Amino acid sequence: MIKAGIIGASGYAGAEVVRLLLNHEDVEIVAISSQSYLGQTFSSLYPSFYTIFDKEFVEDNEVIDQCDVVFASLPHGLSEKYALECQKLNKKFIDLGADFRLDNEDDYKEWYGLDYHEKDLHLYSVYGLTEVNREKIKESQIIGNPGCYPTSITLGLYPLLKEKLNASTHIMIDSKSGTTGAGKSLSETTHFPKCNESFHPYKVAVHRHTPEIEQELSKMYGDKIQVTFVPHLLPINRGIISTIYVPLKKEVNEEDIEKIYHDYYDKEYFVRVLKKGDIADLKYVQYSNFCDISLHFDKRTHTLVIVSCIDNMVKGAAGQAIQNMNVMYGLDETKGLQLKGPSF
Amino acid sequence: MIKAGIIGASGYAGAEVVRLLLNHEDVEIVAISSQSYLGQTFSSLYPSFYTIFDKEFVEDNEVIDQCDVVFASLPHGLSEKYALECQKLNKKFIDLGADFRLDNEDDYKEWYGLDYHEKDLHLYSVYGLTEVNREKIKESQIIGNPGCYPTSITLGLYPLLKEKLNASTHIMIDSKSGTTGAGKSLSETTHFPKCNESFHPYKVAVHRHTPEIEQELSKMYGDKIQVTFVPHLLPINRGIISTIYVPLKKEVNEEDIEKIYHDYYDKEYFVRVLKKGDIADLKYVQYSNFCDISLHFDKRTHTLVIVSCIDNMVKGAAGQAIQNMNVMYGLDETKGLQLKGPSF
Amino acid sequence: MIKAGIIGASGYAGAEVVRLLLNHEDVEIVAISSQSYLGQTFSSLYPSFYTIFDKEFVEDNEVIDQCDVVFASLPHGLSEKYALECQKLNKKFIDLGADFRLDNEDDYKEWYGLDYHEKDLHLYSVYGLTEVNREKIKESQIIGNPGCYPTSITLGLYPLLKEKLNASTHIMIDSKSGTTGAGKSLSETTHFPKCNESFHPYKVAVHRHTPEIEQELSKMYGDKIQVTFVPHLLPINRGIISTIYVPLKKEVNEEDIEKIYHDYYDKEYFVRVLKKGDIADLKYVQYSNFCDISLHFDKRTHTLVIVSCIDNMVKGAAGQAIQNMNVMYGLDETKGLQLKGPSF
Amino acid sequence: MIKAGIIGASGYAGAEVVRLLLNHEDVEIVAISSQSYLGQTFSSLYPSFYTIFDKEFVEDNEVIDQCDVVFASLPHGLSEKYALECQKLNKKFIDLGADFRLDNEDDYKEWYGLDYHEKDLHLYSVYGLTEVNREKIKESQIIGNPGCYPTSITLGLYPLLKEKLNASTHIMIDSKSGTTGAGKSLSETTHFPKCNESFHPYKVAVHRHTPEIEQELSKMYGDKIQVTFVPHLLPINRGIISTIYVPLKKEVNEEDIEKIYHDYYDKEYFVRVLKKGDIADLKYVQYSNFCDISLHFDKRTHTLVIVSCIDNMVKGAAGQAIQNMNVMYGLDETKGLQLKGPSF
């Protein structure tokens, strides 16, 4: 049994790691920590788990001491020291925050306002977009788990950019996320009477996931890609859907696109390219680790519309983290993630 | 491996049996049927299951032919013939409809407008409220799986009535159900713009679950119990909550009540009597087979308020059906039902 | 033009007074105050009003200075001093809080933990349940506007208790409220991911509206009435529905009940007794000052189920306050309240 | 008093005309028709109006006979004959459907599959985008009221295209609509358990509003504009938000854009260009006739993101129709539309 621990398990992403690992037959959750809820039980915060998982939150260091693999879900700037400690102790470290996602320290400084203190760590860490970086993840001890928006967007664009079918290197991306993405902390935005029956974009073209998206898309494309990225807040709990607009090269036709996406993804359990005519809906990925992609060719303007959906808490956070853990340990990638999401 | 089949698998309750059985390691779903969707795939109706479970709907009889245990989720009046056939072939039959719930044919006639055609079957069948009738279920081949409202209500009142702590035999029950209880068929009531931001009772004091509730409560109490039962429609997808008002006998106090409920239920995995001060919330049983019960003593009026929650599709239908199957086969009762429901 | 002001106009109830008064042709809103948002504009808090009503929040005293009638929407314990000042200056004072609702200071002490400091004021003030106390309201300068739950409950029971048709003096009341009832302040309960797809009771049998409900029902009945009152939180924005269970005297039949309710209410513009067979739904009173009542006779148990709906922010707060203002000024009672609530 | 009638008043758009006209002091609703609900009362369909507006649905022709101005809300292909009749009788005709929106019959044929039978009528009719075509509307007797999506989009782009600030003539438009846009008829899409907690695009790049959008944008721009238009269904009742992506000409800066939008719209009561930094939210236009526009400059890519919100049933249908009626009659344009939308 793998001994797993979660630092920052009281937040939504951390708590979701707990929920999923409880279904993983090769893993035992040995310790969970929380600064704010120290000494309280997990189930007092998340009553679904009453009688199932009543473990208490302990200090962060106790988690590292007791575990083989550490998941961290912390505000940015706090992960480096734990990653370093894990590295020294030869333990695996999977960071669900933003600290190991950006290759370029300048980007981190610009968008997050902080420096890297352990620059070397960033050379060893791997960006954990499993389907794209699987081979590197196998060899790595430190994973920067992708952001939720970037996961939906990079998976949606990967075959297209890799094959350079786009006619433009400036891409418009309109994303919509459920409210769990805003986290457990109270805010005006997620006050029910305000959020309910509401819909609006936020951080228009200035969201922190922008440099992460551009970094990964540019790597795929092999040259600089720029995006205008606009996230919106959906009055639902779970799910992200990204609608992506890409003018295609003249010589590319609809069949080419379909074929390439299936070539890339038909072997991937967690990426489902929908049948032509079907439209991706975030309802059908909720509570699962799937990324559903539907492709729509606007022949009038020779533009491809890509619709890419994930559960922001699963494939967009905890699920992909566990998928990465499975890869790191050489386990079947779907272990603990064989959830059957509901359709209603 | 147990070969299981579902007749009427296109409706919500049948589809939920599919979802849950896919998580059951001792069961293989061999066949599913649907009159309306014959020849179509399960995943075309419920796209969450695309690539996971793409089986086609076949004819009802094919299900019986191929399976050891048959789950039926049909409009009332249609289950008897399949139950008879299963009995003849020595197969187990678990009916999620209303046809095997009422002991008294007159009640069935009055509330459902139909006769029993196979009267003998009703002598053999058992009312599948697992926690109460477990021993009988072990011996039975035909199960009348309880209705969703009755499950929440009978579990909520069982210890109290069994111990005759109630001061009145007329009990007020105010229940609220999510919209999946209204089923997959389109209706004015569940048209989104009408249902959303709406709330109202329906079938006030005339709901068909009334005789079933009174039958089971009366059996528990050992004498006639009457209820005024008012169901309401909640603008959410899943869950039933019943708020039950019972004036207590003078000599009964709050501690007695707490003790008795824990005595009855602490050994039951799927019934959680919450800690004093906690309040049951249907959110925390969604997608799970739990029944959460909280007890509230109104000392001003010496009245007990019982709050009992279930997921109407799981403990209130498919989950309890599988729990009963586990009992019938002598399996661990929690197999296939070890789901970790989300708290957000 | 009547000069009106609102103290505490940044909260939901106060802001709703603003919204409604903007439609009142005989009233000018002269000043609004808020401790927390002093100097900010109303429309910065409530952007629907941008360009329509951009007035700034001032100090409480400025409101009293400038206005003929003052609406106060404050935490309990803060209204007496403003009421006193208005009385001295011969201005009308309508309190939307709890400070002038309870006749008995002991009740206020027990449920709100405070004393009355200006005991005389409470002799002059009138409980503003317009349909019941209209004549007294005409003569009064200080109104204690009823609570939202009490409004739905007392209007629902008034004819029945006044005519003493109830067989019991202990009444079970199951109420459900939208989230605006919980106010503008952030809370765990109204955090969207938690509140959405959730439903639960709260303050079971210990809600502060209990003494107010019993006080008014007892006055109507002419003798002591006790209630077991359980409020629930609905995951919608607006509306309260109360489902009330009353065993009837043997000699009372369904027709009697229907007739009496129509006799009492057919002349009341804002109380609609629905046609037999129709069921009250809070959707159809949202954004209006109506109270819809439907009556359901459970002949099996000779029990009446009364369903009573209001918009908690309108008839349950701001609307009734304005209705009372109209009565105090001798205006047509419906002025400013002729809103046509949407059905979708 | 203007005598108004509504043909097709049982659908949502027609019913909303009723709701709004009931607030219009210069208009009397003389007759309403419905094929499906003939002889039933308006309030039996829309119970909010019980005791307020209990008028019966009559035949279509009775509406025309009795009224000075006829609003028609019908499936496409049915409006021409009524428009013709109104023209003959010198009555005003305002069509809320699609029959008088497209200048080019070929577009109508391609997208709606029908021919124009009364070609002359289309020469006289005016596209009723009030803020843009006000002068023509004054002189017209037949109005083709704009579609909901086109209203949000054309108002959002008008100043920009009129001033030719766009760097591209191909514009990406990502729109999201509440479910009332899908109408009163039952559909799988708007079945509550399916629609709730769901989100997805539909008719991707093939929605019928596309030619209407391109027609109007092209007129504004003075040359051909093409759009890739993707509508999505929001699990809320009301409102449309369009997020529009426009690369700007190099020489155009953020201040230019702000100034131009204010120049065009500051005199328009119903179009609110939000302050820099504020973000349009459909919550704040619900139940009102406002169009809220916020402008966001993505300096990294020199792209303008325009966010434009309306209530799809008001400014996107009934409200704009009444605004047009006011213009046709020379009334104050805001009459009957001075609703104060709620912020919660």
Side-chain angles (χ1 to χ4, degrees), chain C residues 150-165:
Chain C
T151 297
S152 72
I153 293 163
T154 53
L155 288 177
L157 280 164
Y158 179 46
L160 184 103
L161 292 181
K162 192 79 184 171
E163 300 296 325
K164 293 181 178 290
L165 308 180

Side-chain angles (χ1 to χ4, degrees), chain B residues 111 170 172-174 176 193-194 196-205 210 214 226-228 230 232 234-238 241 243 245 247 279-284 286 296 298 300-301 303 305 307 344, chain C residues 111 170 172-174 176 193-194 196-205 210 214 226-228 230 232 234-238 241 243 245 247 279-284 286 296 298 300-301 303 305 307 344:
Chain B
W111 292 84
H170 176 209
M172 314 299 189
I173 303 171
D174 194 285
K176 303 90 179 172
K194 194 163 183 177
N196 182 40
E197 294 295 292
S198 163
F199 184 75
H200 59 87
Y202 66 100
K203 293 183 189 159
V204 181
T210 306
E214 291 190 344
Q226 278 198 304
V227 301
T228 296
V230 181
H232 301 68
L234 277 171
I236 67 171
N237 275 21
R238 291 210 175 204
I241 195 165
T243 311
Y245 299 81
I279 295 177
D281 182 336
L282 53 72
K283 178 162 217 92
Y284 302 123
Q286 281 168 348
H296 309 272
D298 180 13
R300 298 171 54 262
T301 63
T303 295
V305 178
V307 182
F344 50 86
Chain C
W111 293 84
H170 175 208
M172 313 299 189
I173 303 171
D174 195 285
K176 302 90 179 174
K194 193 162 184 176
N196 183 39
E197 295 295 290
S198 162
F199 184 74
H200 59 88
Y202 66 100
K203 293 182 189 160
V204 180
T210 306
E214 292 191 345
Q226 277 199 303
V227 300
T228 296
V230 182
H232 301 67
L234 278 170
I236 66 172
N237 275 20
R238 290 210 175 204
I241 194 165
T243 312
Y245 298 82
I279 295 178
D281 182 335
L282 53 73
K283 180 165 216 90
Y284 302 122
Q286 280 167 350
H296 310 273
D298 180 13
R300 297 170 57 259
T301 63
T303 295
V305 179
V307 183
F344 51 86

Side-chain angles (χ1 to χ4, degrees), chain A residues 170 174 176 193 196-200 214 228 232 237 243 245 281-284 286 298 300-301 303, chain D residues 170 174 176 193-194 196-200 214 228 232 237 243 245 281-283 286 298 300-301 303:
Chain A
H170 175 209
D174 194 287
K176 302 89 178 174
N196 182 41
E197 296 294 290
S198 163
F199 185 75
H200 58 89
E214 292 191 344
T228 296
H232 301 68
N237 275 20
T243 311
Y245 298 81
D281 181 337
L282 53 75
K283 178 163 217 90
Y284 303 123
Q286 281 167 349
D298 180 14
R300 298 170 55 261
T301 63
T303 295
Chain D
H170 175 208
D174 194 286
K176 304 90 179 171
K194 194 163 183 176
N196 183 40
E197 294 295 291
S198 163
F199 184 75
H200 59 88
E214 291 189 345
T228 296
H232 301 68
N237 274 21
T243 312
Y245 298 81
D281 182 334
L282 54 73
K283 178 162 217 91
Q286 281 167 348
D298 180 14
R300 298 172 52 262
T301 64
T303 295

Side-chain angles (χ1 to χ4, degrees), chain C residues 213-230:
Chain C
I213 294 165
E214 292 191 345
Q215 164 186 297
E216 294 305 311
L217 296 185
S218 298
K219 278 194 245 171
M220 290 169 176
Y221 184 61
D223 207 343
K224 191 177 182 187
I225 292 286
Q226 277 199 303
V227 300
T228 296
F229 168 58
V230 182

Side-chain angles (χ1 to χ4, degrees), chain B residues 62-85:
Chain B
E62 292 183 58
V63 173
I64 297 179
D65 290 349
Q66 299 179 43
C67 299
D68 307 318
V69 55
V70 172
F71 295 85
S73 180
L74 296 164
H76 64 270
L78 301 179
S79 288
E80 277 182 326
K81 66 172 178 178
Y82 294 130
L84 185 64
E85 206 172 324

Side-chain angles (χ1 to χ4, degrees), chain A residues 66-197:
Chain A
Q66 299 179 42
C67 299
D68 308 319
V69 54
V70 172
F71 296 86
S73 180
L74 296 164
H76 64 270
L78 301 180
S79 289
E80 277 183 325
K81 65 171 177 178
Y82 294 129
L84 184 64
E85 206 172 323
C86 284
Q87 196 197 36
K88 286 179 185 166
L89 296 167
N90 201 27
K91 298 178 175 205
K92 298 184 201 304
F93 185 81
I94 301 173
D95 186 30
L96 284 88
D99 291 357
F100 289 96
R101 292 176 189 161
L102 295 176
D103 301 336
N104 187 340
E105 188 177 349
D106 290 344
D107 284 342
Y108 188 70
K109 216 173 283 190
E110 181 186 344
W111 292 84
Y112 292 88
L114 295 176
D115 293 313
Y116 284 163
H117 295 288
E118 308 294 336
K119 295 177 203 289
D120 281 359
L121 287 182
H122 298 273
L123 303 176
Y124 303 130
S125 72
V126 171
Y127 186 76
L129 189 65
T130 329
E131 283 75 11
V132 174
N133 293 335
R134 187 176 286 122
E135 294 311 311
K136 287 187 195 158
I137 294 165
K138 282 183 189 169
E139 310 301 322
S140 179
Q141 291 286 87
I142 302 176
I143 299 294
N145 212 55
C148 50
Y149 287 120
T151 297
S152 73
I153 293 163
T154 54
L155 288 177
L157 281 165
Y158 179 46
L160 184 103
L161 292 182
K162 193 79 184 171
E163 299 297 324
K164 292 182 180 290
L165 309 179
N166 48 310
S168 161
T169 57
H170 175 209
I171 299 179
M172 313 298 188
I173 303 171
D174 194 287
S175 294
K176 302 89 178 174
S177 171
T179 58
T180 49
K184 189 178 182 302
S185 300
L186 306 187
S187 71
E188 286 290 336
T189 313
T190 52
H191 187 48
F192 191 88
K194 193 161 184 177
C195 182
N196 182 41
E197 296 294 290

Side-chain angles (χ1 to χ4, degrees), chain A residues 210-274:
Chain A
T210 306
E212 182 184 344
I213 294 165
E214 292 191 344
Q215 165 186 294
E216 294 304 312
L217 296 184
S218 297
K219 278 194 245 171
M220 291 169 175
Y221 184 60
D223 207 342
K224 191 178 182 187
I225 292 286
Q226 276 198 304
V227 301
T228 296
F229 168 58
V230 182
H232 301 68
L233 186 66
L234 277 170
I236 67 172
N237 275 20
R238 290 210 177 205
I240 278 181
I241 195 164
S242 293
T243 311
I244 307 170
Y245 298 81
V246 196
L248 293 177
K249 280 185 180 160
K250 277 194 186 152
E251 63 272 23
V252 180
N253 65 29
E254 192 173 4
E255 288 66 37
D256 298 337
I257 294 286
E258 293 279 343
K259 185 178 179 315
I260 285 163
Y261 271 77
H262 282 288
D263 284 352
Y264 272 71
Y265 284 138
D266 283 357
K267 62 181 183 300
E268 292 293 345
Y269 183 83
F270 289 123
V271 182
R272 302 190 290 199
V273 178
L274 301 192

